[in-house]
Amino acid sequence: MSIEKQVDSGRRGLLVATCAAGGVVGLATTGALVSTFQPSERAKAAGAPVEADISDLKPGEMKVFEWRGKPVWILKRTPEMMASLAKTEDKVADPKSEKPYTMDMPEYCDKQSRSRKEHSDVLITVGICSHLGCSPSSKFAAGAQPSLPDDWAGGFLCPCHGSTFDLAGRVYKNKPAPQNLDVPRHMYLSDTKILIGKDEKGEA
């Protein structure tokens, strides 16, 4: 009797262990399947619209968001920054953005500020230079600086080959970059929340 009990006990132990192991494998497999059907953050960033919160963005400051694997700059311009756009009008190569880079400028954007008229102080642009795809650096302070002209009004400088852009993302004349920075389609969900990559007509 004692031998039979030991055998039964051993079998029961083996059966329990086998079931437990199978359960773990089953759960692991289920977890893998579930995660397969859920879009990853990278997949969302690759194509889906991105919601940007600018509630903490102060005049003169810029925030960077990722959309389709590219940096999108949101710059809240000061009154002085806005005034500089008239001064750079005759110095930029394409003041009315008639020669798009990779996307047409949305029709609801003002030609000079390159932003929605109801939020004219907010610039939304893709931070990729139209020359060789480098990402320019912000140079918002006006005045003479290294690699910049003495009458610099503020804007962006591409460190790769020296292309310069004004505070509306318009490229200056006689620079390697042939086109202005892209302005993606976008819409305001509120005064402080912006949807990048989608507007009233649908996704970009």
Side-chain angles (χ1 to χ4, degrees), residues 30 32 64 75 88 95 106 181 195:
T30 303
V64 181
L75 169 64
T88 58
L181 301 179
L195 195 60

Side-chain angles (χ1 to χ4, degrees), residues 1 7 31 49 56 63 66 68 71 94 98 109 114 124 126 134 141-142 148 171-172 186-187 189 195 199:
M1 288 293 292
V7 171
D56 59 344
K63 293 182 76 171
E66 185 181 357
R68 293 185 175 175
D94 184 14
E98 297 172 331
C109 287
R114 305 181 81 226
I124 302 171
V126 179
C134 297
L148 294 171
V171 67
Y172 279 86
H186 60 276
M187 61 189 293
L189 304 177
L195 195 60
D199 56 18

Side-chain angles (χ1 to χ4, degrees), residues 35-182:
S35 64
T36 300
F37 289 109
Q38 293 176 344
S40 66
E41 290 303 315
R42 179 171 293 184
K44 291 178 183 178
V50 174
E51 188 173 311
D53 184 349
I54 60 168
S55 58
D56 59 344
L57 193 61
K58 298 176 182 178
E61 293 182 348
M62 183 177 79
K63 293 182 76 171
V64 181
F65 297 88
E66 185 181 357
W67 173 65
R68 293 185 175 175
K70 300 177 181 179
V72 174
W73 300 335
I74 300 185
L75 169 64
K76 188 172 181 63
R77 294 172 289 198
T78 63
E80 292 77 17
M81 287 175 160
M82 293 298 295
S84 75
L85 301 182
K87 299 175 183 177
T88 58
E89 191 83 6
D90 62 345
K91 298 178 181 180
V92 295
D94 184 14
K96 304 300 181 185
S97 294
E98 297 172 331
K99 300 174 183 178
Y101 177 30
T102 67
M103 57 186 76
D104 292 328
M105 192 174 76
E107 64 280 359
Y108 41 75
C109 287
D110 172 72
K111 299 295 184 181
Q112 187 182 80
S113 66
R114 305 181 81 226
S115 56
R116 281 184 176 262
K117 295 178 181 179
E118 66 272 22
H119 296 278
S120 61
D121 60 327
V122 179
L123 172 68
I124 302 171
T125 188
V126 179
I128 298 294
C129 180
S130 58
H131 182 216
L132 293 177
C134 297
S135 185
S137 303
S138 57
K139 299 289 182 180
F140 298 154
Q145 299 167 57
S147 303
L148 294 171
D150 292 344
D151 62 348
W152 179 247
F156 306 92
L157 168 67
C158 185
C160 293
H161 300 95
S163 293
T164 48
F165 303 83
D166 72 357
L167 289 164
R170 301 178 297 183
V171 67
Y172 279 86
K173 295 176 181 178
N174 304 315
K175 296 294 179 179
Q179 288 113 345
N180 297 335
L181 301 179
D182 280 330

